Tab-separated table of all heavy atoms in Angstrom:
chain	number	residue	atom	x	y	z
A	138	ARG	N	6.406	-12.655	6.154
A	138	ARG	CA	6.462	-13.616	5.037
A	138	ARG	C	5.157	-14.410	4.954
A	138	ARG	O	4.598	-14.603	3.883
A	138	ARG	CB	7.645	-14.594	5.224
A	138	ARG	CG	8.960	-14.071	4.686
A	138	ARG	CD	10.012	-15.171	4.630
A	138	ARG	NE	10.303	-15.774	5.920
A	138	ARG	CZ	11.118	-15.235	6.836
A	138	ARG	NH1	11.731	-14.099	6.587
A	138	ARG	NH2	11.332	-15.829	7.990
A	139	TYR	N	4.682	-14.813	6.113
A	139	TYR	CA	3.452	-15.601	6.143
A	139	TYR	C	2.274	-14.781	5.611
A	139	TYR	O	1.520	-15.228	4.745
A	139	TYR	CB	3.159	-16.043	7.588
A	139	TYR	CG	1.983	-16.976	7.668
A	139	TYR	CD1	2.161	-18.344	7.585
A	139	TYR	CD2	0.682	-16.491	7.801
A	139	TYR	CE1	1.091	-19.208	7.622
A	139	TYR	CE2	-0.402	-17.345	7.833
A	139	TYR	CZ	-0.186	-18.701	7.745
A	139	TYR	OH	-1.262	-19.551	7.771
A	140	VAL	N	2.136	-13.564	6.152
A	140	VAL	CA	0.978	-12.723	5.815
A	140	VAL	C	0.987	-12.331	4.341
A	140	VAL	O	-0.042	-12.366	3.663
A	140	VAL	CB	0.964	-11.473	6.734
A	140	VAL	CG1	-0.051	-10.456	6.261
A	140	VAL	CG2	0.694	-11.877	8.169
A	141	MET	N	2.163	-11.977	3.825
A	141	MET	CA	2.273	-11.553	2.416
A	141	MET	C	1.878	-12.707	1.491
A	141	MET	O	1.209	-12.522	0.490
A	141	MET	CB	3.710	-11.139	2.070
A	141	MET	CG	4.255	-9.995	2.887
A	141	MET	SD	3.271	-8.530	2.664
A	141	MET	CE	3.968	-7.456	3.883
A	142	ASN	N	2.318	-13.872	1.853
A	142	ASN	CA	1.983	-15.034	1.042
A	142	ASN	C	0.498	-15.366	1.163
A	142	ASN	O	-0.178	-15.663	0.178
A	142	ASN	CB	2.834	-16.207	1.529
A	142	ASN	CG	2.831	-17.319	0.527
A	142	ASN	OD1	3.081	-17.082	-0.647
A	142	ASN	ND2	2.502	-18.501	0.961
A	143	LYS	N	0.002	-15.249	2.371
A	143	LYS	CA	-1.402	-15.570	2.658
A	143	LYS	C	-2.340	-14.667	1.856
A	143	LYS	O	-3.336	-15.123	1.310
A	143	LYS	CB	-1.628	-15.387	4.170
A	143	LYS	CG	-2.964	-15.803	4.660
A	143	LYS	CD	-3.049	-17.300	4.836
A	143	LYS	CE	-4.448	-17.714	5.242
A	143	LYS	NZ	-4.759	-19.090	4.843
A	144	VAL	N	-2.002	-13.389	1.806
A	144	VAL	CA	-2.895	-12.460	1.098
A	144	VAL	C	-2.946	-12.822	-0.394
A	144	VAL	O	-3.994	-12.746	-1.027
A	144	VAL	CB	-2.503	-10.971	1.338
A	144	VAL	CG1	-1.402	-10.500	0.435
A	144	VAL	CG2	-3.702	-10.063	1.195
A	145	CYS	N	-1.810	-13.240	-0.935
A	145	CYS	CA	-1.780	-13.649	-2.349
A	145	CYS	C	-2.660	-14.870	-2.558
A	145	CYS	O	-3.495	-14.907	-3.457
A	145	CYS	CB	-0.361	-13.973	-2.791
A	145	CYS	SG	0.678	-12.536	-2.901
A	146	MET	N	-2.485	-15.852	-1.701
A	146	MET	CA	-3.223	-17.106	-1.860
A	146	MET	C	-4.722	-16.916	-1.650
A	146	MET	O	-5.535	-17.432	-2.390
A	146	MET	CB	-2.711	-18.156	-0.849
A	146	MET	CG	-1.271	-18.528	-1.038
A	146	MET	SD	-1.008	-19.146	-2.709
A	146	MET	CE	0.679	-18.729	-2.990
A	147	ASP	N	-5.082	-16.153	-0.622
A	147	ASP	CA	-6.507	-16.037	-0.268
A	147	ASP	C	-7.262	-15.019	-1.100
A	147	ASP	O	-8.463	-15.121	-1.268
A	147	ASP	CB	-6.661	-15.658	1.213
A	147	ASP	CG	-6.286	-16.814	2.127
A	147	ASP	OD1	-5.825	-17.847	1.603
A	147	ASP	OD2	-6.453	-16.679	3.357
A	148	LYS	N	-6.544	-13.989	-1.577
A	148	LYS	CA	-7.272	-12.904	-2.266
A	148	LYS	C	-7.039	-12.922	-3.772
A	148	LYS	O	-7.361	-11.966	-4.468
A	148	LYS	CB	-6.865	-11.529	-1.696
A	148	LYS	CG	-6.856	-11.444	-0.183
A	148	LYS	CD	-8.231	-11.153	0.381
A	148	LYS	CE	-8.191	-11.070	1.906
A	148	LYS	NZ	-9.506	-11.038	2.534
A	149	GLY	N	-6.404	-13.952	-4.256
A	149	GLY	CA	-6.292	-14.122	-5.707
A	149	GLY	C	-5.214	-13.296	-6.407
A	149	GLY	O	-5.327	-13.036	-7.598
A	150	TYR	N	-4.163	-12.898	-5.688
A	150	TYR	CA	-3.034	-12.217	-6.348
A	150	TYR	C	-2.002	-13.285	-6.705
A	150	TYR	O	-1.840	-14.264	-5.980
A	150	TYR	CB	-2.402	-11.178	-5.411
A	150	TYR	CG	-3.382	-10.144	-4.927
A	150	TYR	CD1	-3.899	-10.202	-3.636
A	150	TYR	CD2	-3.817	-9.113	-5.766
A	150	TYR	CE1	-4.819	-9.266	-3.182
A	150	TYR	CE2	-4.739	-8.176	-5.320
A	150	TYR	CZ	-5.235	-8.252	-4.024
A	150	TYR	OH	-6.149	-7.334	-3.596
A	151	ASN	N	-1.294	-13.066	-7.801
A	151	ASN	CA	-0.305	-14.086	-8.179
A	151	ASN	C	1.123	-13.550	-8.111
A	151	ASN	O	2.064	-14.245	-8.471
A	151	ASN	CB	-0.584	-14.615	-9.588
A	151	ASN	CG	-0.268	-13.581	-10.645
A	151	ASN	OD1	-0.358	-12.390	-10.381
A	151	ASN	ND2	0.108	-14.018	-11.821
A	152	LEU	N	1.275	-12.305	-7.662
A	152	LEU	CA	2.605	-11.698	-7.660
A	152	LEU	C	2.716	-10.683	-6.516
A	152	LEU	O	1.892	-9.765	-6.416
A	152	LEU	CB	2.815	-10.981	-9.012
A	152	LEU	CG	4.072	-10.152	-9.196
A	152	LEU	CD1	5.322	-11.015	-9.089
A	152	LEU	CD2	4.049	-9.463	-10.575
A	153	LEU	N	3.735	-10.876	-5.690
A	153	LEU	CA	3.973	-9.942	-4.586
A	153	LEU	C	5.126	-9.024	-4.970
A	153	LEU	O	6.232	-9.492	-5.265
A	153	LEU	CB	4.333	-10.718	-3.306
A	153	LEU	CG	4.680	-9.853	-2.106
A	153	LEU	CD1	3.448	-9.155	-1.547
A	153	LEU	CD2	5.333	-10.679	-1.001
A	154	LEU	N	4.866	-7.716	-4.977
A	154	LEU	CA	5.919	-6.764	-5.339
A	154	LEU	C	6.400	-6.048	-4.089
A	154	LEU	O	5.588	-5.625	-3.258
A	154	LEU	CB	5.375	-5.739	-6.339
A	154	LEU	CG	4.881	-6.306	-7.673
A	154	LEU	CD1	4.230	-5.203	-8.507
A	154	LEU	CD2	6.029	-6.938	-8.448
A	155	THR	N	7.720	-5.913	-3.959
A	155	THR	CA	8.255	-5.189	-2.806
A	155	THR	C	9.147	-4.045	-3.285
A	155	THR	O	9.652	-4.064	-4.408
A	155	THR	CB	9.060	-6.120	-1.864
A	155	THR	OG1	10.141	-6.688	-2.605
A	155	THR	CG2	8.209	-7.216	-1.286
A	156	GLY	N	9.340	-3.055	-2.410
A	156	GLY	CA	10.049	-1.838	-2.804
A	156	GLY	C	11.544	-1.859	-2.536
A	156	GLY	O	12.172	-0.796	-2.547
A	157	HIS	N	12.136	-3.029	-2.309
A	157	HIS	CA	13.584	-3.083	-2.032
A	157	HIS	C	14.360	-2.350	-3.117
A	157	HIS	O	14.113	-2.546	-4.306
A	157	HIS	CB	14.068	-4.533	-1.978
A	157	HIS	CG	13.506	-5.288	-0.823
A	157	HIS	ND1	12.381	-6.052	-0.914
A	157	HIS	CD2	13.924	-5.359	0.463
A	157	HIS	CE1	12.111	-6.577	0.276
A	157	HIS	NE2	13.024	-6.177	1.130
A	158	ASN	N	15.317	-1.532	-2.673
A	158	ASN	CA	16.099	-0.754	-3.642
A	158	ASN	C	17.540	-1.273	-3.726
A	158	ASN	O	17.921	-2.209	-3.025
A	158	ASN	CB	16.049	0.739	-3.279
A	158	ASN	CG	16.634	1.004	-1.905
A	158	ASN	OD1	17.707	0.495	-1.570
A	158	ASN	ND2	15.951	1.805	-1.105
A	159	LEU	N	18.298	-0.633	-4.597
A	159	LEU	CA	19.686	-1.044	-4.847
A	159	LEU	C	20.527	-1.059	-3.568
A	159	LEU	O	21.328	-1.972	-3.350
A	159	LEU	CB	20.310	-0.076	-5.859
A	159	LEU	CG	21.768	-0.288	-6.219
A	159	LEU	CD1	21.941	-1.541	-7.053
A	159	LEU	CD2	22.304	0.909	-6.999
A	160	ASP	N	20.335	-0.047	-2.713
A	160	ASP	CA	21.125	0.034	-1.478
A	160	ASP	C	20.806	-1.141	-0.550
A	160	ASP	O	21.700	-1.697	0.087
A	160	ASP	CB	20.876	1.360	-0.744
A	160	ASP	CG	21.376	2.535	-1.548
A	160	ASP	OD1	20.993	2.643	-2.731
A	160	ASP	OD2	22.160	3.341	-1.007
A	161	ASP	N	19.505	-1.499	-0.477
A	161	ASP	CA	19.114	-2.655	0.356
A	161	ASP	C	19.774	-3.922	-0.168
A	161	ASP	O	20.325	-4.723	0.590
A	161	ASP	CB	17.589	-2.903	0.283
A	161	ASP	CG	16.776	-1.729	0.779
A	161	ASP	OD1	17.239	-1.048	1.700
A	161	ASP	OD2	15.670	-1.498	0.231
A	162	GLU	N	19.701	-4.092	-1.480
A	162	GLU	CA	20.214	-5.321	-2.080
A	162	GLU	C	21.734	-5.397	-1.994
A	162	GLU	O	22.287	-6.454	-1.706
A	162	GLU	CB	19.757	-5.438	-3.542
A	162	GLU	CG	18.248	-5.545	-3.710
A	162	GLU	CD	17.625	-6.675	-2.904
A	162	GLU	OE1	18.267	-7.733	-2.762
A	162	GLU	OE2	16.501	-6.494	-2.405
A	163	ALA	N	22.397	-4.257	-2.246
A	163	ALA	CA	23.859	-4.239	-2.175
A	163	ALA	C	24.323	-4.544	-0.747
A	163	ALA	O	25.270	-5.312	-0.543
A	163	ALA	CB	24.397	-2.895	-2.642
A	164	ALA	N	23.629	-3.963	0.258
A	164	ALA	CA	24.018	-4.187	1.656
A	164	ALA	C	23.815	-5.655	2.037
A	164	ALA	O	24.678	-6.262	2.682
A	164	ALA	CB	23.220	-3.286	2.584
A	165	ALA	N	22.690	-6.235	1.622
A	165	ALA	CA	22.421	-7.635	1.955
A	165	ALA	C	23.449	-8.541	1.281
A	165	ALA	O	23.983	-9.465	1.908
A	165	ALA	CB	21.009	-8.013	1.525
A	166	LEU	N	23.731	-8.247	0.039
A	166	LEU	CA	24.695	-9.043	-0.712
A	166	LEU	C	26.088	-8.939	-0.080
A	166	LEU	O	26.794	-9.943	0.093
A	166	LEU	CB	24.715	-8.544	-2.163
A	166	LEU	CG	25.612	-9.260	-3.158
A	166	LEU	CD1	25.282	-10.738	-3.209
A	166	LEU	CD2	25.446	-8.646	-4.557
A	167	PHE	N	26.442	-7.726	0.301
A	167	PHE	CA	27.733	-7.464	0.945
A	167	PHE	C	27.869	-8.310	2.222
A	167	PHE	O	28.883	-8.980	2.441
A	167	PHE	CB	27.840	-5.970	1.264
A	167	PHE	CG	29.161	-5.530	1.791
A	167	PHE	CD1	30.270	-5.516	0.966
A	167	PHE	CD2	29.301	-5.107	3.104
A	167	PHE	CE1	31.510	-5.087	1.451
A	167	PHE	CE2	30.527	-4.682	3.597
A	167	PHE	CZ	31.633	-4.672	2.767
A	168	GLY	N	26.818	-8.296	3.037
A	168	GLY	CA	26.820	-9.068	4.287
A	168	GLY	C	26.942	-10.565	4.016
A	168	GLY	O	27.687	-11.267	4.703
A	169	ASN	N	26.234	-11.034	2.996
A	169	ASN	CA	26.277	-12.467	2.675
A	169	ASN	C	27.652	-12.896	2.159
A	169	ASN	O	28.125	-13.988	2.456
A	169	ASN	CB	25.210	-12.822	1.632
A	169	ASN	CG	23.818	-12.778	2.225
A	169	ASN	OD1	23.656	-12.807	3.439
A	169	ASN	ND2	22.812	-12.679	1.372
A	170	VAL	N	28.283	-11.996	1.409
A	170	VAL	CA	29.611	-12.320	0.872
A	170	VAL	C	30.656	-12.232	1.987
A	170	VAL	O	31.521	-13.095	2.119
A	170	VAL	CB	29.980	-11.375	-0.295
A	170	VAL	CG1	31.429	-11.558	-0.709
A	170	VAL	CG2	29.069	-11.604	-1.492
A	171	LEU	N	30.518	-11.186	2.802
A	171	LEU	CA	31.489	-10.950	3.873
A	171	LEU	C	31.602	-12.158	4.799
A	171	LEU	O	32.691	-12.572	5.197
A	171	LEU	CB	31.025	-9.715	4.670
A	171	LEU	CG	32.034	-9.011	5.526
A	171	LEU	CD1	33.203	-8.528	4.684
A	171	LEU	CD2	31.382	-7.809	6.226
A	172	TYR	N	30.454	-12.730	5.148
A	172	TYR	CA	30.456	-13.886	6.057
A	172	TYR	C	30.251	-15.208	5.319
A	172	TYR	O	30.009	-16.232	5.932
A	172	TYR	CB	29.374	-13.708	7.131
A	172	TYR	CG	29.666	-12.542	8.045
A	172	TYR	CD1	29.000	-11.334	7.886
A	172	TYR	CD2	30.646	-12.640	9.034
A	172	TYR	CE1	29.280	-10.252	8.705
A	172	TYR	CE2	30.937	-11.570	9.862
A	172	TYR	CZ	30.250	-10.377	9.693
A	172	TYR	OH	30.531	-9.314	10.499
A	173	TRP	N	30.303	-15.154	3.993
A	173	TRP	CA	30.078	-16.340	3.158
A	173	TRP	C	28.880	-17.149	3.620
A	173	TRP	O	28.968	-18.346	3.857
A	173	TRP	CB	31.349	-17.202	3.073
A	173	TRP	CG	32.352	-16.517	2.224
A	173	TRP	CD1	33.524	-15.976	2.626
A	173	TRP	CD2	32.248	-16.243	0.811
A	173	TRP	NE1	34.158	-15.365	1.562
A	173	TRP	CE2	33.394	-15.518	0.432
A	173	TRP	CE3	31.270	-16.525	-0.172
A	173	TRP	CZ2	33.611	-15.067	-0.861
A	173	TRP	CZ3	31.483	-16.079	-1.474
A	173	TRP	CH2	32.656	-15.359	-1.789
A	174	LYS	N	27.752	-16.420	3.711
A	174	LYS	CA	26.515	-17.118	4.101
A	174	LYS	C	25.953	-17.783	2.860
A	174	LYS	O	25.037	-17.261	2.215
A	174	LYS	CB	25.508	-16.112	4.661
A	174	LYS	CG	25.920	-15.510	5.970
A	174	LYS	CD	24.782	-14.668	6.489
A	174	LYS	CE	25.218	-13.773	7.608
A	174	LYS	NZ	24.286	-12.683	7.842
A	175	LYS	N	26.514	-18.932	2.549
A	175	LYS	CA	26.153	-19.593	1.291
A	175	LYS	C	24.678	-19.955	1.223
A	175	LYS	O	24.086	-20.002	0.159
A	175	LYS	CB	26.996	-20.842	1.113
A	175	LYS	CG	28.423	-20.535	0.760
A	175	LYS	CD	29.127	-21.803	0.337
A	175	LYS	CE	30.624	-21.591	0.386
A	175	LYS	NZ	31.348	-22.822	0.461
A	176	GLU	N	24.078	-20.230	2.398
A	176	GLU	CA	22.673	-20.651	2.390
A	176	GLU	C	21.756	-19.501	1.958
A	176	GLU	O	20.631	-19.719	1.539
A	176	GLU	CB	22.253	-21.229	3.744
A	176	GLU	CG	22.174	-20.280	4.926
A	176	GLU	CD	23.514	-19.954	5.588
A	176	GLU	OE1	24.579	-20.088	4.931
A	176	GLU	OE2	23.493	-19.533	6.748
A	177	TYR	N	22.225	-18.235	2.087
A	177	TYR	CA	21.420	-17.083	1.663
A	177	TYR	C	21.895	-16.501	0.343
A	177	TYR	O	21.134	-15.949	-0.424
A	177	TYR	CB	21.475	-15.953	2.708
A	177	TYR	CG	20.873	-16.318	4.034
A	177	TYR	CD1	21.664	-16.394	5.181
A	177	TYR	CD2	19.511	-16.591	4.142
A	177	TYR	CE1	21.114	-16.737	6.403
A	177	TYR	CE2	18.950	-16.928	5.363
A	177	TYR	CZ	19.762	-16.997	6.486
A	177	TYR	OH	19.216	-17.343	7.688
A	178	LEU	N	23.211	-16.613	0.127
A	178	LEU	CA	23.859	-15.885	-0.965
A	178	LEU	C	23.144	-15.991	-2.306
A	178	LEU	O	22.754	-14.989	-2.879
A	178	LEU	CB	25.308	-16.358	-1.080
A	178	LEU	CG	26.142	-15.627	-2.124
A	178	LEU	CD1	26.193	-14.143	-1.816
A	178	LEU	CD2	27.550	-16.194	-2.160
A	179	TRP	N	22.929	-17.190	-2.801
A	179	TRP	CA	22.357	-17.332	-4.146
A	179	TRP	C	20.833	-17.425	-4.150
A	179	TRP	O	20.225	-17.720	-5.142
A	179	TRP	CB	22.988	-18.531	-4.872
A	179	TRP	CG	24.462	-18.335	-5.044
A	179	TRP	CD1	25.441	-18.991	-4.365
A	179	TRP	CD2	25.130	-17.400	-5.905
A	179	TRP	NE1	26.678	-18.516	-4.745
A	179	TRP	CE2	26.518	-17.545	-5.696
A	179	TRP	CE3	24.689	-16.443	-6.830
A	179	TRP	CZ2	27.464	-16.788	-6.369
A	179	TRP	CZ3	25.616	-15.684	-7.506
A	179	TRP	CH2	26.994	-15.857	-7.278
A	180	ARG	N	20.240	-17.147	-2.991
A	180	ARG	CA	18.776	-17.201	-2.920
A	180	ARG	C	18.146	-15.873	-3.294
A	180	ARG	O	16.976	-15.789	-3.599
A	180	ARG	CB	18.345	-17.550	-1.498
A	180	ARG	CG	18.393	-19.015	-1.244
A	180	ARG	CD	17.391	-19.320	-0.150
A	180	ARG	NE	17.819	-20.490	0.593
A	180	ARG	CZ	17.505	-20.682	1.849
A	180	ARG	NH1	16.796	-19.791	2.504
A	180	ARG	NH2	17.895	-21.771	2.448
A	181	LYS	N	18.927	-14.812	-3.188
A	181	LYS	CA	18.380	-13.475	-3.493
A	181	LYS	C	18.241	-13.331	-4.990
A	181	LYS	O	19.117	-13.724	-5.739
A	181	LYS	CB	19.333	-12.405	-2.990
A	181	LYS	CG	19.227	-12.202	-1.529
A	181	LYS	CD	19.561	-10.778	-1.171
A	181	LYS	CE	18.952	-10.379	0.151
A	181	LYS	NZ	17.580	-9.965	0.064
A	182	ASP	N	17.132	-12.746	-5.409
A	182	ASP	CA	16.988	-12.511	-6.847
A	182	ASP	C	15.993	-11.377	-7.060
A	182	ASP	O	15.213	-11.043	-6.168
A	182	ASP	CB	16.507	-13.795	-7.553
A	182	ASP	CG	16.890	-13.803	-9.031
A	182	ASP	OD1	17.244	-12.744	-9.560
A	182	ASP	OD2	16.821	-14.874	-9.649
A	183	ILE	N	16.026	-10.817	-8.237
A	183	ILE	CA	15.111	-9.722	-8.569
A	183	ILE	C	13.694	-10.272	-8.771
A	183	ILE	O	12.711	-9.585	-8.586
A	183	ILE	CB	15.641	-8.972	-9.817
A	183	ILE	CG1	14.881	-7.688	-10.051
A	183	ILE	CG2	15.638	-9.857	-11.054
A	183	ILE	CD1	15.568	-6.755	-11.049
A	184	VAL	N	13.609	-11.543	-9.123
A	184	VAL	CA	12.300	-12.191	-9.262
A	184	VAL	C	12.430	-13.637	-8.800
A	184	VAL	O	13.427	-14.303	-9.102
A	184	VAL	CB	11.768	-12.077	-10.717
A	184	VAL	CG1	12.709	-12.651	-11.732
A	184	VAL	CG2	10.396	-12.728	-10.862
A	185	LEU	N	11.457	-14.079	-8.002
A	185	LEU	CA	11.476	-15.459	-7.509
A	185	LEU	C	10.188	-16.140	-7.944
A	185	LEU	O	9.098	-15.610	-7.730
A	185	LEU	CB	11.576	-15.478	-5.979
A	185	LEU	CG	12.911	-15.049	-5.379
A	185	LEU	CD1	12.791	-14.869	-3.870
A	185	LEU	CD2	14.018	-16.051	-5.697
A	186	ASP	N	10.329	-17.289	-8.559
A	186	ASP	CA	9.154	-18.000	-9.053
A	186	ASP	C	8.271	-18.515	-7.929
A	186	ASP	O	8.748	-18.742	-6.823
A	186	ASP	CB	9.599	-19.194	-9.912
A	186	ASP	CG	10.113	-18.720	-11.254
A	186	ASP	OD1	9.743	-17.601	-11.658
A	186	ASP	OD2	10.899	-19.465	-11.892
A	187	ALA	N	7.012	-18.737	-8.266
A	187	ALA	CA	6.088	-19.349	-7.308
A	187	ALA	C	6.542	-20.778	-7.066
A	187	ALA	O	7.211	-21.374	-7.914
A	187	ALA	CB	4.683	-19.332	-7.886
A	188	LYS	N	6.189	-21.302	-5.883
A	188	LYS	CA	6.589	-22.680	-5.585
A	188	LYS	C	5.363	-23.503	-5.251
A	188	LYS	O	4.573	-23.107	-4.391
A	188	LYS	CB	7.526	-22.669	-4.368
A	188	LYS	CG	8.966	-22.884	-4.734
A	188	LYS	CD	9.732	-23.186	-3.458
A	188	LYS	CE	11.193	-22.915	-3.634
A	188	LYS	NZ	11.854	-22.707	-2.376
A	189	ASP	N	5.241	-24.607	-5.908
A	189	ASP	CA	4.262	-25.639	-5.547
A	189	ASP	C	2.825	-25.150	-5.435
A	189	ASP	O	2.023	-25.736	-4.724
A	189	ASP	CB	4.630	-26.267	-4.178
A	189	ASP	CG	6.098	-26.504	-4.060
A	189	ASP	OD1	6.643	-27.115	-4.972
A	189	ASP	OD2	6.710	-26.040	-3.074
A	190	GLY	N	2.515	-24.026	-6.049
A	190	GLY	CA	1.152	-23.510	-5.938
A	190	GLY	C	0.845	-23.000	-4.541
A	190	GLY	O	-0.284	-22.680	-4.206
Side-chain angles (χ1 to χ4, degrees):
R138 274 192 300 279
Y139 186 91
V140 169
M141 300 300 172
N142 196 50
K143 186 80 184 154
V144 83
C145 290
M146 298 303 152
D147 289 5
K148 313 276 180 191
Y150 303 103
N151 71 331
L152 174 62
L153 177 71
L154 299 174
T155 60
H157 293 94
N158 61 46
L159 178 71
D160 294 53
D161 299 326
E162 297 306 325
L166 182 56
F167 186 70
N169 288 342
V170 171
L171 199 59
Y172 294 102
W173 288 111
K174 292 187 194 162
K175 287 191 197 160
E176 68 280 23
Y177 296 115
L178 184 59
W179 298 107
R180 277 206 208 152
K181 282 210 157 277
D182 204 345
I183 190 166
V184 57
L185 289 170
D186 286 338
K188 255 193 201 159
D189 318 309

